[in-house]
Amino acid sequence: MVNDSIAQMKQVTNPSEAFVIERLQGIEGIGDISAVTEDNDPNGQLGKSGGYTATVYFTSPLVDQSDVIGSTVIEKGTEGGGAIEVYANVDDANKRKDCLSAFDGGILSSGSHEVVGTVLVRTSDKLTASQQKELEAAIIEALTRLS
């Protein structure tokens, strides 16, 4: 059990973009998946100090995509379904979660956000609360599942 916990923690400690994409594929409630590059990073934080080491956005068939601004997965951002933000360390991931928490319940609410390891799992505010929690749980299970 302890060895499993250690192995699971390693998987969610600054995982690669490829690992995140592979684990997201096939999750019910996730549609298209797209990784951020320096050229299309909407926040301009990829690879910067305190910023994320990778971000992967995804759409969800549970969200009416015609209600979301943007033509690509990345332009739609978290609203289209959600995002996985990967940080170099737990402190940076928690700082980002705290920043997002400041908007909870308001017009700028960005949906659910939960840290697991150094990964911030985000789901769209356009999902119901139960859909957010179910999708978040499925993503965390996929990221921590041992092969």
Side-chain angles (χ1 to χ4, degrees), residues 11 40 81 97 105 131:
Q11 286 185 182
N40 66 11
K97 180 182 178 186
Q131 288 173 327

Side-chain angles (χ1 to χ4, degrees), residues 23-88:
R23 290 302 174 105
L24 289 177
Q25 292 172 338
I27 294 177
E28 189 173 336
I30 292 184
D32 294 328
I33 301 168
S34 189
V36 165
T37 65
E38 286 184 347
D39 293 330
N40 66 11
D41 182 3
N43 301 311
Q45 295 300 305
L46 183 63
K48 292 184 178 175
S49 179
Y52 34 80
T53 60
T55 293
V56 177
Y57 287 100
F58 56 87
T59 59
S60 173
L62 303 171
V63 172
D64 181 351
Q65 297 300 313
S66 67
D67 286 345
V68 182
I69 297 170
S71 58
T72 68
V73 175
I74 292 171
E75 286 174 359
K76 290 179 181 192
T78 305
E79 273 199 11
I84 308 300
E85 297 178 8
V86 179
Y87 292 87

Side-chain angles (χ1 to χ4, degrees), residues 73-140:
V73 175
I74 292 171
E75 286 174 359
K76 290 179 181 192
T78 305
E79 273 199 11
I84 308 300
E85 297 178 8
V86 179
Y87 292 87
N89 58 65
V90 175
D91 286 342
D92 288 345
N94 281 320
K95 283 178 190 171
R96 175 68 166 150
K97 180 182 178 186
D98 291 345
C99 178
L100 293 170
S101 295
F103 300 104
D104 287 351
I107 194 164
L108 297 177
S109 179
S110 63
S112 73
H113 37 83
E114 189 61 47
V115 173
V116 56
T118 67
V119 175
L120 180 63
V121 176
R122 301 179 60 194
T123 63
S124 176
D125 193 48
K126 292 190 177 288
L127 297 169
T128 66
S130 59
Q131 288 173 327
Q132 288 176 348
K133 289 303 170 197
E134 288 171 15
L135 186 54
E136 182 180 278
I139 293 168
I140 292 171

